[in-house]
Amino acid sequence: MDRPSRRNVLVAGGTLGAAGALGAAAPARAAARWTWSPKGSVAGAGEGADPRGVWDPEADRLVASLLDRGEVPKVNRLLRTWTKNGQPLPGGLPADLRDFMERARQLPSWADRGKLATAVDFNEKRGLYLGVTYGFASGMMSTVIPREARAVYYSKGGADMRDRITKTAKLGYDIGTSNAYRPDGEMVVTCVKTRLAHAGVRHLLPRSGHWSRVADEKVPISQADMMVTWHSLPTTVMRNLVKWKVPIPAAESEAFLHSWQVAAHMLGIRDEYIPKSWEEADSQAEQVLTPILAPTPEGIKLADMLLNLGSTIDGGVLSKPILGSLTRYVLGDEIADWLKIRRDPLWDPVFETAWEPFIAVREGLLSLEKAPGALQKAYWAFDEILRLGALLVLSEGDLPISIQIPVTNNPNYPG
């Protein structure tokens, strides 16, 4: 597979991408006491420590040292050339970084190559639906995860949302490729670079007075934060596919989960926090994700930025209403109202009445000729929505996408 450009990453990886990637997400309100047992994890055991007080100490110490030594610009330049999982690390990297990356790039001992291969089949069959759910269930959900919204808004990524989303969309793209974790794939590279970028945000963001004044934490992107965002990805995606009655064989469902379990490990999440099954994932999500969703001024602004990404195609006349209605349909009225998304008299009812029949036609469960009239009229539009113009808007030529360690916070909010 060719190295993904901004354009084909977004086309294959999701309309808006997983806008939070596995970035800083966590509760804004006082969260309940951590009660989820590590017996339900892929590790099957653990200390059971509250993940809100656990970060990524090895990566954090390393990246803080690189920033203090002024070596990050050099490191970012060198790492632009590291693009394939099996590729040797570039020469010239600091020794401590090289040692860390050689360890961090290794798949966990429990990774199952057979399940990862089956996940490829799942992704190939459901690619269009995954695009929608990554983009609108996960991407837009990130704007009502208060800590994530604030961290994105005030960190460097908030200064250029197109660039930010393009890079975070790469995660959804890479995990869906046929060679995701193979030597010629890129998922391992993306995870390791994202892990380093997270450590950079942890070091820099507490220095932002703007962030500190609104944050309810001293250090962002805890293990709990990352798991919250993880649930906004595979857990939320699977819930929507089930709601849309997409028939998924048990083996493929398990394999899809496994691909994301491996991703969580590669992103620096401790095995004792990674759910071992969908049942355990739902149980954990009910404690750490569902209760903490809430609007923030930063999240509302980010959501509006996302909805306006198609404006260079049609001035927002069509794309913004479609994106807004799809968001309302996927996430529900409450979240859409939080984000101040206007109701649309045309597209809201179209999604309500025609989306599930559209999925049934796509799955071969219903013929288009026998489908409701509303679907027959909307089918072409849905087909185009799945390849939405917002994907092309984010393309800035065919330059390879490079996830980097930040060296500053959002320059629009200095101090």
Side-chain angles (χ1 to χ4, degrees), residues 158-175:
D160 186 345
M161 284 304 292
R162 290 183 186 177
D163 181 70
R164 162 79 182 188
I165 295 165
T166 302
K167 289 176 179 176
T168 56
K170 193 177 191 307
L171 191 76
Y173 173 83
D174 288 343
I175 200 169

Side-chain angles (χ1 to χ4, degrees), residues 44 71 82 105 134 170 174 210-211 229 234 263 280 308 332 358 383:
E71 295 192 83
W82 185 54
R105 71 192 295 186
Y134 283 141
K170 193 177 191 307
D174 288 343
H210 294 276
W211 177 80
T229 305
E280 291 290 349
N308 277 295
F358 169 73
D383 224 30

Side-chain angles (χ1 to χ4, degrees), residues 104-126:
R105 71 192 295 186
Q106 303 303 314
L107 294 184
S109 60
W110 45 264
D112 186 320
R113 290 288 184 180
K115 289 182 180 179
L116 294 178
T118 301
V120 172
D121 296 334
F122 173 88
N123 287 316
E124 288 179 348
K125 292 177 184 177
R126 319 297 176 196

Side-chain angles (χ1 to χ4, degrees), residues 265-307:
H265 175 94
M266 301 303 292
L267 286 158
I269 296 173
R270 293 187 181 183
D271 288 356
E272 69 172 276
Y273 299 129
I274 304 172
K276 67 180 180 182
S277 66
W278 285 120
E279 182 180 14
E280 291 290 349
D282 285 330
S283 172
Q284 191 185 91
E286 285 302 315
Q287 179 176 352
V288 303
L289 173 65
T290 307
I292 60 85
L293 299 178
T296 61
E298 295 83 4
I300 292 169
K301 292 174 185 176
L302 289 173
D304 192 60
M305 291 179 193
L306 298 179
L307 294 176

Side-chain angles (χ1 to χ4, degrees), residues 71 74-76 78-79 89-98 101:
E71 295 192 83
K74 170 190 171 183
V75 165
N76 283 335
L78 290 171
L79 289 183
L89 295 176
L93 289 176
D96 52 355
L97 175 61
R98 175 179 293 276
M101 292 180 68

Side-chain angles (χ1 to χ4, degrees), residues 4 10 64 145 160-161 208 240 264-265 283 304 331 365 391 402:
L10 289 163
I145 298 174
D160 186 345
M161 284 304 292
S208 166
N240 276 279
H265 175 94
S283 172
D304 192 60
L331 296 183
L365 304 175
L391 308 179
S402 180

Side-chain angles (χ1 to χ4, degrees), residues 288-368:
V288 303
L289 173 65
T290 307
I292 60 85
L293 299 178
T296 61
E298 295 83 4
I300 292 169
K301 292 174 185 176
L302 289 173
D304 192 60
M305 291 179 193
L306 298 179
L307 294 176
N308 277 295
L309 285 174
S311 61
T312 59
I313 290 180
D314 62 7
V317 173
L318 180 61
S319 57
K320 186 172 184 179
I322 291 176
L323 296 177
S325 292
L326 184 50
T327 300
R328 181 175 292 278
Y329 175 72
V330 172
L331 296 183
D333 288 335
E334 182 178 42
I335 289 178
D337 291 344
W338 284 348
L339 296 175
K340 302 187 185 303
I341 296 174
R342 295 180 179 179
R343 294 180 181 271
D344 188 271
L346 171 61
W347 288 104
D348 286 1
V350 168
F351 278 105
E352 287 292 338
T353 59
W355 182 258
E356 286 194 22
F358 169 73
I359 296 295
V361 171
R362 276 281 181 180
E363 289 292 322
L365 304 175
L366 177 70
S367 68
L368 184 58

